[in-house]
């Protein structure tokens, strides 16, 4: 069985989650459940709202997105090599921010694609053990507290 590693673009993920938390109070729990699922089922869709991008430059990068509420999506990709599978989290964004809305915005798609390519130098592992590592646990606790303010 291949080893599954979950990586994150820490800076972009943290910033995008803090913006999205206002509209999605259950975001910390959704992300935690998503990560636990992907740790054991990295190539399967989390649910019917988890699929590959269908066109443009972002599709060529192998990006996927998981719908979070009506407005936000978690953008990520799954990379498989001979002995491991990596699930790479880029952030929580709207279709407008990534240029994938209607109508599509090619300039935003190109900008977001550049952001994804540049993230390769900033990726850090995410713990998905039953007990999250202290940094991630602290971060999720902070999000939970912040979400309470926006209810």
């Amino acid at each position: 069985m291949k080893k599954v590693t979950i990586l994150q673009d820490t800076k972009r993920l943290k910033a995008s989650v803090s913006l999205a938390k206002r509209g999605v109070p259950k975001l910390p729990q959704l992300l935690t459940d998503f990560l636990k699922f992907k740790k054991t089922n990295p190539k399967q869709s989390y649910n019917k709202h988890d699929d590959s991008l269908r066109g443009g430059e972002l599709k060529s990068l192998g990006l996927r997105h998981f719908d979070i509420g009506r407005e936000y999506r978690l953008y990520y990709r799954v990379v498989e090599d001979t002995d491991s599978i990596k699930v790479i989290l880029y952030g929580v964004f709207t279709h407008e921010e990534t240029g994938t809305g209607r109508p599509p915005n090619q300039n935003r798609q190109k900008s977001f694609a550049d952001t994804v390519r540049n993230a390769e130098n900033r990726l850090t592992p995410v713990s998905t053990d039953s007990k999250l590592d202290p940094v991630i646990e602290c971060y999720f606790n902070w999000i939970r507290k912040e979400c309470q303010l926006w209810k």
Side-chain angles (χ1 to χ4, degrees), residues 137-151:
E137 185 65 28
C138 176
Y139 174 58
F140 279 132
N141 285 338
W142 173 78
I143 292 173
R144 286 183 188 106
K145 181 181 174 188
E146 291 292 310
C147 288
Q148 295 301 315
L149 297 175
W150 298 101
K151 280 189 174 179

Side-chain angles (χ1 to χ4, degrees), residues 7 11 14 22 33 48 55 76 91 96 102 116 132 148:
L7 301 168
K11 179 181 175 184
K14 191 178 256 191
R22 294 179 183 173
D33 293 347
K48 67 181 181 176
Y76 73 99
E96 183 179 335
R102 297 210 196 304
V116 167
L132 296 174
Q148 295 301 315

Side-chain angles (χ1 to χ4, degrees), residues 12-21 24 27 31 66-68 71-76 89-94 97-98 112 139:
R12 184 133 339 247
L13 183 66
K14 191 178 256 191
S16 64
V17 167
S18 69
L19 290 174
K21 72 180 182 284
V24 188
L27 184 58
L31 288 175
F66 161 59
D67 289 2
I68 299 172
E71 189 175 343
Y72 297 100
R73 279 106 188 110
L74 170 64
Y75 285 81
Y76 73 99
L89 309 174
Y90 294 103
V92 178
F93 306 98
T94 65
E97 291 170 319
T98 59
F112 187 67
Y139 174 58

